[in-house]
Amino acid sequence: MESKQEKSMSIVMVPYLAHGHVSPFYEFAKKLSNKGFHIYFCSTPICLEPIRNNNNHFDNHQIKLIDLQLPSSFHQQLPPHYHSTKNLPHHLMNTLLAAFDASKPAFSDILKTLRPELVIYDGFQPWAAEAARELNIEAVLFITGVQSQKIPKVTECNKEQMDCFFKNSVNGMTPIQRFLKCVTSSSGHMVLIKSSTEIQAKFGKPEDVFGDVVPVGPLVQRPLDHDGDEKIMDWLNKKEASSVVFVSFGSENFLSQEEIEEMAHGLELSNVDFIWVVRFEGEINNVKKTIHEALPQGFLERIQIQGKGLIIDWAPQVKILAHTSSGGFVSHCGWNSTLEAMMYGVPIIAIPLQFDQPLNANLVVDMGVAIEVPARREKKITRQEVAKAIKTVVVEEQGKEVRRRAKEWSENWKKKEDEEFHVAVEKLLQLVQQSKK
């Protein structure tokens, strides 16, 4: 039974300005609103635009979208369409983070107006917890990736990652310093994490700096209808159960030209039906021409004649993974994509590209729901390894156990996700109630 406190409590949520953070924060917001909480979802207009454009958002009147304006002093370098990491030129990443830091006064004004009882913030903005504390509002960190509970060691990082984690300083803080400050600023030593108790047990004990690590479940969205889905779903509906491999590397990860060619040849060699989301860094317009140029000569014509493949530049990922025809997922192993595959029982062909993705790939391989294309660890993809991995997971007898484990995890999660979320909700309620005493 829901308490009166549960029905009246208001929360401001403020994710980092990346789709991989906004998306799980919004799924978390939807689940909290379904429990009776009043949610104010705060981000830049460009980050909120996809939510506003999605008619399903307006089915939930408990969530109010709040525009956070980055300071106008940054607009010449960073116009509003760049107030998100998506399509942001790499050299402006630090500028975006500096502008986000400088939005603390605007965020404080939002808190003064709304007067919520709780702020849920992300791991890159310790200023959000500071702004809340200055107004005597509790603030709790929400971690969107399970690997974040392990502080990376220099020996575990390649040079690119080492520079990012330990050397790339903005406003006097490296990413590691920002993250640790966010952890230690979280009220009640509580840290929420997008994970499950089973994964936490598999992954092991978090670092000592973490207090009470509370899983909120996988927070995987349910399949929704979008404009333009019909062609994709009609194509899938004609395929046999568990016969199609879905290939996607997320919205902010990109294969090199050589890797695109090897992936294309690997898909053909596998002889498995496929849907492949092909994206290019910084590419917004004229995508069709670019795809023709990037793919091997004659590839598009062959797969079209054979009906073996579908090349697209955007996909309703969850809807595809939930479809009965999906039998494998070639993925970079971003945490959101990994959990979506596990929730819908689709085994993973792991090709991690950067940051936490190799660690995520190790985890799901260890859990028995994935195999990894090994050559990518040497910074290359080979068509032979791609074809072998796809055939193993989708078709061959030796992949039977991976397919079985993926289905088993899916069934277990669907039974337990509400229980885990209920525990997290109760802990949040207790935190706020105790603060009022």
Side-chain angles (χ1 to χ4, degrees):
M1 188 190 315
E2 294 176 347
S3 67
K4 290 182 180 179
Q5 171 70 24
E6 191 170 282
K7 284 186 175 295
S8 62
M9 186 167 148
S10 63
I11 303 173
V12 166
M13 302 182 72
V14 55
Y16 179 57
L17 306 179
H19 175 75
H21 292 247
V22 173
S23 177
F25 259 76
Y26 191 66
E27 289 305 310
F28 192 16
K30 287 193 288 188
K31 293 202 74 167
L32 286 169
S33 70
N34 289 337
K35 284 284 187 180
F37 294 98
H38 296 284
I39 307 297
Y40 298 100
F41 198 82
C42 184
S43 192
T44 57
I46 193 69
C47 284
L48 295 178
E49 189 175 277
I51 300 174
R52 287 196 167 107
N53 291 341
N54 185 345
N55 291 333
N56 292 286
H57 163 70
F58 296 101
D59 294 338
N60 194 327
H61 300 292
Q62 294 284 85
I63 302 177
K64 305 296 182 188
L65 303 183
I66 306 295
D67 288 330
L68 178 65
Q69 303 291 348
L70 302 188
S72 58
S73 57
F74 285 86
H75 284 193
Q76 186 171 354
Q77 290 177 276
L78 202 72
H81 67 273
Y82 279 159
H83 292 179
S84 161
T85 60
K86 187 175 182 181
N87 297 320
L88 181 70
H90 186 73
H91 73 276
L92 289 176
M93 287 292 182
N94 284 355
T95 306
L96 178 64
L97 191 54
F100 200 30
D101 285 349
S103 68
K104 180 188 173 184
F107 184 67
S108 294
D109 288 342
I110 289 170
L111 295 184
K112 289 172 186 174
T113 300
L114 299 177
R115 286 289 171 179
E117 288 146 293
L118 179 67
V119 168
I120 297 178
Y121 64 98
D122 210 334
F124 287 96
Q125 56 258 32
W127 50 263
E130 292 170 2
R133 203 81 71 243
E134 288 164 5
L135 296 170
N136 296 316
I137 299 168
E138 298 298 326
V140 174
L141 172 63
F142 172 41
I143 300 174
T144 58
V146 70
Q147 300 295 347
S148 298
Q149 67 175 328
K150 293 288 186 182
I151 308 303
K153 306 294 188 294
V154 172
T155 53
E156 297 171 352
C157 301
N158 62 33
K159 185 180 185 305
E160 180 185 1
Q161 289 173 311
M162 187 172 72
D163 289 347
C164 175
F165 290 133
F166 299 101
K167 297 181 180 179
N168 181 31
S169 177
V170 175
N171 290 332
M173 283 188 290
T174 64
I176 286 294
Q177 290 169 332
R178 283 176 180 275
F179 180 69
L180 289 175
K181 191 170 182 182
C182 285
V183 171
T184 56
S185 298
S186 194
S187 294
H189 303 289
M190 183 195 308
V191 173
L192 305 170
I193 189 165
K194 176 177 167 159
S195 182
S196 69
T197 51
E198 291 93 345
I199 287 179
Q200 292 302 104
K202 195 80 178 173
F203 189 63
K205 184 180 179 296
E207 302 277 358
D208 290 339
V209 68
F210 291 85
D212 184 14
V213 177
V214 181
V216 298
L219 298 179
V220 171
Q221 63 178 268
R222 299 301 181 251
L224 300 171
D225 292 329
H226 301 86
D227 292 338
D229 285 357
E230 296 82 4
K231 177 185 175 184
I232 299 168
M233 304 319 292
D234 287 346
W235 189 89
L236 271 175
N237 289 338
K238 296 171 185 174
K239 303 299 179 180
E240 295 181 6
S242 303
S243 67
V244 176
V245 65
F246 175 53
V247 185
S248 179
F249 294 91
S251 60
E252 297 182 25
N253 302 275
F254 307 96
L255 299 181
S256 68
Q257 177 61 45
E258 180 185 356
E259 289 173 327
I260 289 173
E261 292 177 7
E262 289 299 306
M263 178 62 65
H265 288 302
L267 288 166
E268 278 196 288
L269 283 172
S270 76
N271 201 33
V272 171
D273 292 346
F274 64 89
I275 296 176
W276 183 9
V277 184
V278 180
R279 294 191 181 97
F280 304 94
E281 189 165 10
E283 186 67 33
I284 300 174
N285 300 313
N286 207 18
V287 172
K288 281 189 178 179
K289 180 182 176 184
T290 310
I291 286 175
H292 273 282
E293 291 173 349
L295 294 172
Q297 188 173 6
F299 175 78
L300 284 173
E301 291 75 15
R302 290 194 299 275
I303 65 169
Q304 188 172 9
I305 291 169
Q306 298 164 0
K308 296 292 292 182
L310 196 61
I311 303 291
I312 51 181
D313 62 346
W314 176 87
Q317 179 163 298
V318 172
K319 201 171 179 181
I320 291 173
L321 292 173
H323 196 282
T324 55
S325 295
S326 292
F329 182 19
V330 177
S331 172
H332 62 303
C333 290
W335 195 235
N336 294 332
S337 292
T338 298
L339 296 187
E340 286 166 4
M342 291 181 66
M343 175 59 76
Y344 292 107
V346 180
I348 299 168
I349 298 100
I351 304 181
L353 302 178
Q354 60 182 340
F355 304 126
D356 65 334
Q357 295 159 19
L359 296 173
N360 295 340
N362 288 344
L363 181 64
V364 289
V365 168
D366 189 46
M367 292 165 68
V369 300
I371 68 168
E372 185 177 347
V373 176
R376 190 53 176 79
R377 295 294 177 119
E378 282 73 55
K379 293 290 184 183
K380 62 181 180 179
I381 295 172
T382 67
R383 62 193 72 182
Q384 293 84 3
E385 291 287 359
V386 168
K388 180 182 177 182
I390 290 173
K391 286 192 289 187
T392 298
V393 165
V394 181
V395 179
E396 294 177 351
E397 181 67 22
Q398 67 187 100
K400 188 175 180 179
E401 180 62 14
V402 174
R403 296 191 288 270
R404 185 193 69 79
R405 290 285 291 158
K407 298 296 182 190
E408 183 179 79
W409 272 96
S410 172
E411 291 165 5
N412 289 341
W413 267 7
K414 286 173 182 175
K415 291 176 185 174
K416 294 181 179 179
E417 65 171 328
D418 287 340
E419 295 175 21
E420 290 187 326
F421 190 77
H422 178 74
V423 171
V425 164
E426 288 300 312
K427 290 197 172 192
L428 288 175
L429 285 170
Q430 289 170 13
L431 175 71
V432 172
Q433 288 168 351
Q434 289 170 2
S435 71
K436 292 182 175 180
K437 292 179 180 178

